[in-house]
Amino acid sequence: MITIKSKEEIKILREGGNILALVLNEVSAAAKPGITAIELDALAEKLIRRAGGEPSFKNYKTGGDKPFPASLCVSVNSEIVHGIPSKDKILKEGDIAGLDLGLRHKGLYTDMAITVPVGAVSEEVRCLVEAAKKSLDAGISAVKDGAHIGDIGFAVQQYAELQGFSVVKKLVGHGVGYGVHEEPEIPNYGKLGTGPRLKEGMVLALEPMINKGGDDIILSGDGWTWETKDGSLSVHFEHTVAVTKSGAEVLTMK
Ligand code: MG
């Protein structure tokens, strides 16, 4: 079942999304050469708690997996999503770092990710990051009451592939709000006019994962971190949006 959030709930999600965007902005500014992923995680958790929220990924479990041990996912270079922060994961000049953070605010959940260049990156890498960001924008533009889930994936895929990149197909976006993950699944590929219809009041986490090389992925030995199979770079951007009559309201906004 795809839940519909009330106007009052969307107001709370908007507040939470604003806190989340401000926190992630501050964390991304700290993602400089030499910093460790565990320091970024500690910063994210401190800022969330200071704002009165709770980090929703910490100890999150999917099925029988080990719980996720941190507040922030830090996925570097060929890591796609769910990278576990550690003290040995040290950012260096030229890397890209995907930072994914979830927040619980007044009982409701928002989810956001950005990928930041660490120090100076090559023009090629800058183009990949930009294309992934714009593929999310394309997906958001496809959202409105009466549109289909497949319209979102179509828009994301079309944009990314036209730039010469591939979209990850085995991992998907999702509904969000009452929980960290809700129905529906939101693939980053698809056909126009297919899948469930969007309705005003649905709240969705759109999150394209765009690879420089092929779309095949592997799960690393830590049981959480997804990586590209060919070792190519991967970029992740995510916003939580509410479906409106005429479009989408991005809730994770500064
Ligand atoms: Mg998500």
Side-chain angles (χ1 to χ4, degrees):
M1 195 186 88
I2 308 174
T3 61
I4 302 289
K5 278 75 180 179
S6 68
K7 288 218 160 36
E8 190 51 40
E9 288 166 337
I10 288 176
K11 186 168 167 254
I12 292 169
L13 287 161
R14 190 181 294 126
E15 285 172 10
N18 175 246
I19 294 168
L20 183 56
L22 289 168
V23 168
L24 203 52
N25 185 56
E26 201 164 332
V27 173
S28 65
K32 299 281 188 240
I35 197 160
T36 65
I38 207 125
E39 289 172 293
L40 294 177
D41 175 56
L43 176 63
E45 180 166 354
K46 182 180 85 178
L47 294 172
I48 282 179
R49 294 202 190 278
R50 184 186 289 169
E54 281 169 59
S56 57
F57 296 167
K58 197 159 194 175
N59 298 317
Y60 184 74
K61 272 181 135 175
T62 54
D65 293 336
K66 289 178 291 183
F68 192 77
S71 301
L72 180 72
C73 302
V74 182
S75 307
V76 180
N77 296 335
S78 63
E79 295 175 343
I80 302 163
V81 286
H82 305 166
I84 297 177
S86 75
K87 63 176 171 28
D88 303 323
K89 195 180 269 189
I90 304 166
L91 300 186
K92 58 182 196 306
E93 183 99 20
D95 282 346
I96 51 172
L99 308 172
D100 190 353
L101 191 61
L103 167 78
R104 185 170 181 263
H105 167 74
K106 298 182 182 171
L108 296 175
Y109 296 82
T110 49
D111 195 349
M112 182 181 183
I114 55 173
T115 296
V116 293
V118 180
V121 299
S122 69
E123 179 64 13
E124 217 182 353
V125 171
R126 203 190 56 73
C127 285
L128 172 67
V129 172
E130 197 56 30
K133 194 178 194 174
K134 286 189 175 158
S135 76
L136 173 58
D137 294 340
I140 292 169
S141 297
V143 172
K144 68 171 183 182
D145 186 280
H148 291 263
I149 289 289
D151 301 349
I152 300 171
F154 176 83
V156 169
Q157 181 178 26
Q158 189 188 47
Y159 187 84
E161 290 183 353
L162 275 171
Q163 311 302 309
F165 305 121
S166 66
V167 297
V168 171
K169 300 182 180 66
K170 289 179 182 159
L171 303 170
V172 295
H174 50 92
V176 66
Y178 300 138
V180 175
H181 292 115
E182 295 177 16
E183 286 181 48
E185 291 195 340
I186 308 171
N188 293 301
Y189 63 96
K191 289 195 172 71
L192 290 173
T194 62
R197 262 191 199 278
L198 303 181
K199 284 204 188 79
E200 185 175 18
M202 287 181 181
V203 175
L204 310 172
L206 271 49
E207 50 175 327
M209 291 150 255
I210 306 298
N211 296 352
K212 182 152 179 35
D215 65 359
D216 239 5
I217 65 173
I218 48 171
L219 184 61
S220 93
D222 66 26
W224 277 104
T225 314
W226 287 97
E227 300 172 72
T228 58
K229 193 172 180 192
D230 61 11
S232 69
L233 295 177
S234 188
V235 179
H236 181 215
F237 280 93
E238 177 176 26
H239 271 307
T240 298
V241 309
V243 179
T244 68
K245 272 278 173 252
S246 58
E249 181 190 351
V250 177
L251 300 172
T252 39
M253 280 290 241
K254 281 188 281 173

